[in-house]
Amino acid sequence: MTGPTAFRLRQLASPRRPPPGPGAVRPAAALLLRLGCVALLAWIGYIHLHLWQEGYRHIPTNGPLFLLDAVAGFVLAAILLTWPRPLAGLLAAGYTASTLGALIISLSAGLFGFRESISASFVTESLTIEPITVLALISWTVLMAATLRPPARGPRPVAQPGPSESDSRAVL
C-alpha cells in the first residue's frame, strides 16, 4: 500500500482531534449529529427485533436475518457511541443502506421467497427512517473525516554518504 493511502486508512480508524480556534461549534454539531445517528440505529434495531418477536421469526430465511439485523443495529449504535471514528460511521451507513435495499427488494420482487407488503407494520416507517439514517451517517462521517489533517509534507531528507574507507579503518 502506498504511504498516503495507508495514512488515510489509519486516520479513518484513529482518534481525531478537533481543530483549534474559533471552530468550536463544529465539534458540538458533530456530537449532536453522532448522537442522533446512534438513536436512529437503535431505533432500526428495535424495529427489527419487534418484528422478529411478532412473527417474522417463523419466516424461513428472513426470520434469522431479522434477528441478525436487530443485533447489528444495536451493536453498531453502541460502537458509534463509544468509538466515534469515521470508519464506524462508514460501517453503520453500509449496514443501514443494505437494510434499506433488502426492504425495497422484498417489497418489489420478494426476498428469499417472501414478499413484503407496503401495508405491513413498520414498512412505511422504515422507508422513512432508513434513508434519513444513511444521510445522517454519511454527513457525520464526512464531517469527521474533514477534521483529520494530513501529515505536514516537508522536503525529503537527503541521504548522507556512508562512512569512507579511511573512517572504517579508524574504527578497527
Side-chain angles (χ1 to χ4, degrees):
M1 225 186 288
T2 62
T5 304
F7 171 77
R8 237 9 225 166
L9 288 174
R10 268 189 300 225
Q11 270 191 323
L12 287 175
S14 68
R16 78 260 167 267
R17 290 168 184 82
V25 174
R26 188 188 270 181
L31 176 64
L32 288 175
L33 187 57
R34 179 171 60 102
L35 293 177
C37 290
V38 167
L40 288 167
L41 285 168
W43 193 358
I44 292 170
Y46 165 76
I47 289 171
H48 284 87
L49 182 62
H50 177 75
L51 290 173
W52 181 80
Q53 290 173 334
E54 293 298 314
Y56 277 61
R57 68 175 140 210
H58 301 296
I59 301 170
T61 303
N62 291 342
L65 291 176
F66 263 77
L67 182 59
L68 180 65
D69 222 15
V71 170
F74 291 129
V75 168
L76 285 168
I79 288 172
L80 192 61
L81 185 62
T82 59
W83 193 63
R85 309 293 188 272
L87 184 59
L90 285 176
L91 291 173
Y95 152 79
T96 308
S98 64
T99 299
L100 177 62
L103 177 58
I104 291 170
I105 291 170
S106 182
L107 282 168
S108 59
L111 187 63
F112 303 118
F114 177 76
R115 188 165 182 166
E116 188 66 77
S117 169
I118 193 73
S119 62
S121 61
F122 292 107
V123 169
T124 54
E125 187 175 283
S126 293
L127 286 172
T128 305
I129 294 168
E130 290 173 2
I132 291 170
T133 306
V134 170
L135 291 174
L137 284 163
I138 290 172
S139 299
W140 178 80
T141 302
V142 167
L143 182 64
M144 295 312 297
T147 63
L148 300 175
R149 293 193 187 105
R153 291 242 159 133
R156 291 183 175 230
V158 178
Q160 299 294 325
S164 66
E165 213 174 281
S166 62
D167 291 339
S168 62
R169 277 190 232 141
V171 172
L172 293 176

